[in-house]
Amino acid sequence: MMHELPVSAYTSQEWFDLEQKHIFSKTWQFAGLVEDVANPGDYVSVQAGLNNIFIVKGRDHRLRAFHNMCRHRGTQLLRAVGKAQKAITCPYHDWTYNLEGKLVSIPKKEEEFPDLCDKELHDCGLNLHEASVDIFKGMLFVHPEKNAPNIMEFFGEVAPYLGPHIPEELIEYKEKKQAPFYTKEINANWKIIVENYIDQYHLAHLHEGTLNMYDHAKAEFGWAGSHYHFYEPLVPAYLADIKNASPYPLMDKMPDDKMGAYVPWLFPNIGITESESAWNTFHAIPLAPDRTLVVIRSKTMNVSEWEYTKQYTKSMASSVWKTMGNKGKYEGEASDPMASGDFMLEDVYACEQQQKSLSSPLFSVGAQAKKGEFAVSKFQSVVKEWIENHQD
Amino acid sequence: MSEFHQLKVLEVIKETEDSTSISFKVPQELYETFNYKPGQYLTLRFTINTEDVRRSYSLCSSPVIGEPLCIGVKRVKDGLVSNHINNNIKVGDLVEVMKPDGRFFADVKKENYKTYYLFSAGSGITPILSILKTVLFTEEHSYVHMIYGNRSEDSIMFKNTLDKLQENYKERFILEYTLSRPKSSWSDLWKTSKEQTYRKGRVDTAAINWFLEEYPPYAQNAEYYICGPGTMIENTTKALKSIDVPDERIFIESFGGSNLKDTTEAFENAQLIAKLDGETINTIIPKGKTVLRTLIDAGKEPPYSCEAGVCSTCRCKIKSGKVHMKINLALTDQEVEQGYILSCQSIPLSNQVEVVYT
């Protein structure tokens, strides 16, 4: 056993399929950031568990979501992102729907489908299947049901524990155009990655030289609804020089007395890292029992390039970074994740090393840190609940 | 159904030059009866110059914050009742009031997460104000985006209340005033930018397109509530529909005032067969009378309140024959298709009309 779940939950195709069906196809799923569908006609499509769902913005500036599937033969209608004018046409036989999902045209209807339906096309029961879409904290979420439970019932309890950041006011930081800040396929089950994210106990150890600008001893964390919340302040030395040392311009919404990092995990698979100078989404997408794609999108203050340059220069000169934030746990080549001085590489390494052991006949979890790892078993029990409650 | 209760006037406040708000005291034994949903109205009955007259006024109070029932009444030019109320009603008066009714209301629930678009003009603010207060107070996650049209700054009803709500609920409540004839004066030249600014124009297509683009919904379950004079309702509805706002998300309360001339001729002296309270009434509809008036004149008691095609209290179902509704601001297309009519607006088009009140 891991804690609440059997080891097979982390290794078997059977469990992977159960989760796809009962968790990822029945919960609000992260679908991007609000600005991804900024203007009427803009759309994005996302895989949410077993469903492919697209979101389109109507001319009334309200979002609609539909299952991305032609009602004729099931062909996927839209590709990843784009702009639809007034209608959505299936590439296969040109069946066409309006932006309300209503069927408006079938080529050669009279000759080919004389018996289909004698009513107007949109009353023929062949409109696109509706799904739900909503916004939470500047993020888009989709739900495969038309009458989904409202998103605040799902996230409402954790909302008061999130950071003061207003993501809509920030701008996305990208190294390359059209690419998120960070993507990485990790050789570990998605739950291993979540458990690493919500494990406070490891911060002072795995990341002793990389996240030591945060005061782990003062971390405040807990569980709200189905979600994990976490906050920790900066260490005094970093706080004292924060105006210079911060790598990017400081978040204007961050109060001086609560300067730190908010790092919640929203069930099932989206984390947010809300720090003094950046706001990131951390999306863990299960690909296989032992493979997970992590996509991080990063937003920072909406200020001029010049402000960034000034801040960078000041940060480089700050003595804070001589002792904090970039020293690997071990000495060695920079290619060794444990010597890299990069906390992401350290986490990936730890997750993959744990996954490797899961197939050992001797594997077991020996003990659980009462406080620092409480969230790990809590998370597992929520996973278990979803699977058990939904199984027929 | 059409039972009146005597309520005592608790407070009379002059809201603007030509409008007044009246609060009523509801005795404890009538609490249940006078329970209401935000958006509903009261029907008042007066005897003015020996004539028995009824008018419906939307409640502007909220049922959830422990305030007395309150209506707002704006003078209508040559209006019999609105001027009577504005001129004569004083604290302590007894007024005959029917229990709250109306199908224009918001189904407010604590757990809702919605964006409410509220469009109002003139005294159309009354039911909108009730919805506004109730939503802000009850639904802690929901947003309200409101545009309120008036002739000039002086004619804005409940401005203090609105401004206070905006101050208290800054994060969830957007309020824009738009004025069709703003008063300008020399002193404008010395205005500081800090002073309140108003959009210029009516609540029309341009205003609505601007408003929705400027303030897109955050919670995506958006609903659109409209209340004002007929043309404002027509314009707003048309504007919303033209940008694909679905019908089922639009809610309308009309305060009459449609300018369209209706010249449909009635079938003279048609026979009326009406089933009402278990009785079958057989009579003739005199020229110029509606189905409802014919029944009232015959000494019967059909349900009704506004007599303006707005409230649907007088709704009945047509079994045979044909009628024409002069105004229908209450029934949906679907209801009309199912044979429902507003008896207060129906004149016969066939020699015989058979209706059933249920």
Side-chain angles (χ1 to χ4, degrees):
Chain A
M1 287 294 283
M2 293 302 276
H3 292 291
E4 299 290 328
L5 297 170
V7 177
S8 63
Y10 295 73
T11 54
S12 74
Q13 186 64 38
E14 193 196 340
W15 260 89
F16 182 87
D17 293 341
L18 280 175
E19 289 172 345
Q20 285 298 310
K21 187 168 165 202
H22 298 301
I23 296 178
F24 297 101
S25 302
K26 290 175 181 169
T27 47
W28 283 98
Q29 286 286 301
F30 177 73
L33 303 175
V34 284
E35 59 270 29
D36 297 349
V37 272
N39 300 305
D42 288 358
Y43 65 81
V44 291
S45 64
V46 290
Q47 190 68 30
L50 304 175
N51 304 293
N52 196 281
I53 294 171
F54 74 86
I55 303 170
V56 62
K57 184 170 253 186
R59 290 189 294 154
D60 56 3
H61 294 264
R62 191 173 58 84
L63 300 170
R64 284 96 165 127
F66 300 98
H67 288 260
N68 190 7
M69 184 165 58
C70 182
R71 294 298 307 279
H72 175 212
R73 301 272 288 266
T75 315
Q76 213 164 77
L77 291 164
L78 296 174
R79 284 178 273 190
V81 274
K83 191 161 177 77
Q85 291 310 320
K86 275 192 132 177
I88 298 155
T89 300
C90 178
Y92 208 166
H93 306 91
D94 286 339
W95 281 34
T96 298
Y97 305 86
N98 66 16
L99 296 189
E100 298 299 306
K102 305 243 160 78
L103 181 63
V104 291
S105 150
I106 297 179
K108 291 195 188 166
K109 174 172 184 287
E110 283 74 22
E111 300 106 282
E112 293 287 6
F113 302 94
D115 308 323
L116 184 61
C117 163
D118 56 5
K119 292 181 230 153
E120 295 277 337
L121 275 178
H122 60 259
D123 287 328
C124 291
L126 290 170
N127 297 331
L128 294 180
H129 291 298
E130 289 178 54
S132 296
V133 54
D134 222 319
I135 298 171
F136 176 67
K137 186 102 189 177
M139 298 177 281
L140 299 168
F141 285 87
V142 291
H143 193 290
E145 283 171 46
K146 176 188 173 186
N147 295 312
N150 98 44
I151 196 167
M152 287 312 282
E153 277 178 50
F154 191 54
F155 290 130
E157 281 180 69
V158 78
Y161 296 100
L162 304 188
H165 310 65
I166 300 180
E168 294 89 330
E169 294 176 356
L170 307 175
I171 46 163
E172 190 159 8
Y173 176 85
K174 291 176 178 173
E175 277 167 356
K176 279 173 273 174
K177 262 195 181 164
Q178 302 299 329
F181 173 62
Y182 177 95
T183 48
K184 166 105 182 142
E185 223 181 278
I186 298 172
N187 292 314
N189 183 272
W190 71 280
K191 298 188 290 302
I192 294 283
I193 291 162
V194 179
E195 289 168 16
N196 167 263
Y197 195 100
I198 63 180
D199 167 2
Q200 183 265 351
Y201 182 43
H202 85 293
L203 295 173
H205 304 284
L206 181 67
H207 308 303
E208 63 178 46
T210 48
L211 288 177
N212 53 345
M213 59 285 205
Y214 295 105
D215 201 340
H216 310 313
K218 293 214 175 79
E220 299 159 14
F221 51 100
W223 205 266
S226 298
H227 318 286
Y228 172 74
H229 61 85
F230 176 98
Y231 163 80
E232 60 181 3
L234 308 182
V235 295
Y238 181 30
L239 183 61
D241 195 33
I242 185 70
K243 294 217 161 70
N244 294 314
S246 175
Y248 312 114
L250 281 176
M251 288 289 157
D252 56 349
K253 296 287 183 303
M254 197 64 119
D256 286 344
D257 60 337
K258 259 271 171 160
M259 195 68 84
Y262 298 77
V263 195
W265 187 268
L266 307 180
F267 189 80
N269 62 328
I270 180 80
I272 329 177
T273 311
E274 311 174 288
S275 80
E276 67 286 358
S277 65
W279 186 89
N280 298 345
T281 57
F282 183 108
H283 191 198
I285 305 161
L287 301 176
D290 58 355
R291 272 193 309 126
T292 304
L293 178 68
V294 168
V295 179
I296 297 178
R297 292 177 68 174
S298 183
K299 297 181 89 170
T300 49
M301 283 294 291
N302 187 4
V303 293
S304 68
E305 196 92 3
W306 170 236
E307 291 295 326
Y308 276 92
T309 311
K310 273 199 299 191
Q311 190 63 43
Y312 177 77
T313 315
K314 282 193 284 182
S315 179
M316 289 302 280
S318 167
S319 61
V320 165
W321 305 117
K322 292 198 172 77
T323 54
M324 284 185 243
N326 47 27
K327 191 167 163 288
K329 189 174 169 82
Y330 303 148
E331 299 282 329
E333 297 287 318
S335 60
D336 174 357
M338 292 310 298
S340 66
D342 176 333
F343 74 90
M344 267 305 293
L345 292 174
E346 292 168 346
D347 277 329
V348 172
Y349 178 75
C351 288
E352 292 187 339
Q353 291 297 91
Q354 191 186 5
Q355 184 76 31
K356 283 176 191 167
S357 295
L358 296 181
S359 54
S360 162
L362 288 180
F363 173 83
S364 74
V365 173
Q368 178 184 17
K370 200 172 88 190
K371 186 162 168 275
E373 291 177 325
F374 97 97
V376 174
S377 61
K378 184 75 198 165
F379 166 70
Q380 291 178 6
S381 66
V382 178
V383 170
K384 196 170 144 197
E385 246 171 70
W386 273 87
I387 300 279
E388 282 174 356
N389 291 352
H390 288 92
Q391 256 177 330
D392 311 319
Chain B
M1 174 103 203
S2 26
E3 193 187 343
F4 283 89
H5 305 272
Q6 294 217 319
L7 297 186
K8 191 180 264 181
V9 173
L10 206 59
E11 199 175 19
V12 177
I13 297 175
K14 197 169 157 84
E15 294 293 341
T16 62
E17 202 48 48
D18 59 355
S19 67
T20 301
S21 68
I22 316 269
S23 307
F24 295 102
K25 185 179 171 60
V26 175
Q28 201 156 10
E29 67 270 19
L30 289 176
Y31 275 9
E32 193 81 350
T33 312
F34 278 88
N35 200 6
Y36 62 101
K37 297 190 178 115
Q40 290 191 310
Y41 58 79
L42 292 179
T43 301
L44 275 53
R45 181 164 73 183
F46 296 97
T47 307
I48 304 175
N49 310 329
T50 72
E51 197 185 340
D52 179 73
V53 283
R54 301 172 178 200
R55 290 290 185 277
S56 299
Y57 294 102
S58 294
L59 285 151
C60 55
S61 49
S62 162
V64 300
I65 52 181
E67 53 183 354
L69 269 72
C70 182
I71 55 169
V73 181
K74 189 173 179 174
R75 286 181 194 271
V76 177
K77 194 166 177 277
D78 302 325
L80 187 63
V81 181
S82 64
N83 285 305
H84 170 70
I85 292 174
N86 272 277
N87 292 338
N88 304 324
I89 295 288
K90 52 189 191 306
V91 174
D93 285 359
L94 287 174
V95 178
E96 286 194 88
V97 184
M98 208 190 283
K99 68 171 190 178
D101 200 2
R103 301 198 296 170
F104 177 77
F105 57 81
D107 190 13
V108 178
K109 288 193 201 114
K110 189 179 185 319
E111 66 273 17
N112 278 352
Y113 181 55
K114 294 183 181 177
T115 302
Y116 291 85
Y117 281 93
L118 306 182
F119 303 94
S120 67
S123 60
I125 183 66
T126 48
I128 295 289
L129 181 61
S130 178
I131 293 172
L132 170 70
K133 286 191 276 193
T134 309
V135 168
L136 289 177
F137 190 80
T138 312
E139 299 185 2
E140 55 180 342
H141 297 304
S142 292
Y143 298 86
V144 180
H145 297 183
M146 172 167 163
I147 184 163
Y148 180 21
N150 278 285
R151 193 175 55 244
S152 67
E153 188 177 352
D154 299 342
S155 60
I156 301 174
M157 287 172 79
F158 305 108
K159 184 155 188 309
N160 285 338
T161 308
L162 290 167
D163 289 345
K164 213 174 284 168
L165 286 168
Q166 197 183 22
E167 183 59 32
N168 291 346
Y169 294 95
K170 278 202 267 301
E171 272 139 43
R172 301 193 288 121
F173 176 33
I174 288 160
L175 172 60
E176 288 282 354
Y177 295 102
T178 182
L179 303 178
S180 58
R181 272 180 243 156
K183 288 190 178 139
S184 56
S185 63
W186 282 106
S187 65
D188 285 357
L189 294 172
W190 289 275
K191 259 194 183 158
T192 63
S193 58
K194 261 187 167 176
E195 279 175 61
Q196 194 156 15
T197 53
Y198 302 95
R199 189 181 181 279
K200 194 171 182 296
R202 293 175 184 279
V203 179
D204 55 12
T205 307
I208 283 152
N209 288 338
W210 164 79
F211 189 67
L212 292 188
E213 191 173 338
E214 190 71 22
Y215 305 108
Y218 199 83
Q220 296 299 306
N221 186 357
E223 290 178 349
Y224 306 79
Y225 292 82
I226 312 167
C227 186
T231 45
M232 175 268 183
I233 303 238
E234 270 166 47
N235 291 340
T236 308
T237 314
K238 217 187 289 167
L240 292 178
K241 286 187 178 177
S242 76
I243 50 171
D244 302 332
V245 173
D247 277 347
E248 64 267 24
R249 292 183 179 274
I250 302 177
F251 304 89
I252 295 166
E253 182 82 309
S254 174
F255 278 9
S258 182
N259 298 324
L260 299 171
K261 256 236 160 67
D262 190 342
T263 53
T264 309
E265 297 266 345
F267 191 97
E268 274 183 48
N269 299 321
Q271 185 192 10
L272 172 67
I273 302 166
K275 286 204 174 88
L276 173 66
D277 299 332
E279 185 191 358
T280 303
I281 301 149
N282 201 327
T283 183
I284 296 292
I285 305 177
K287 192 180 175 191
K289 294 282 181 186
T290 62
V291 169
L292 181 83
R293 269 292 148 194
T294 304
L295 290 170
I296 294 173
D297 291 350
K300 306 299 173 190
E301 287 186 356
Y304 79 104
S305 74
C306 77
E307 247 194 302
V310 176
C311 76
S312 84
T313 307
C314 67
R315 190 178 87 151
C316 62
K317 201 166 186 176
I318 189 153
K319 286 285 160 191
S320 70
K322 233 185 137 187
V323 298
H324 167 71
M325 280 187 274
K326 293 180 286 184
I327 297 173
N328 169 23
L329 299 167
L331 301 177
T332 63
D333 293 348
Q334 203 185 358
E335 285 172 306
V336 172
E337 221 167 89
Q338 288 165 359
Y340 286 103
I341 60 167
L342 299 173
S343 52
C344 77
Q345 297 296 322
S346 293
I347 54 173
L349 294 182
S350 53
N351 66 340
Q352 195 199 60
V353 173
E354 189 181 349
V355 299
V356 180
Y357 286 88
T358 44

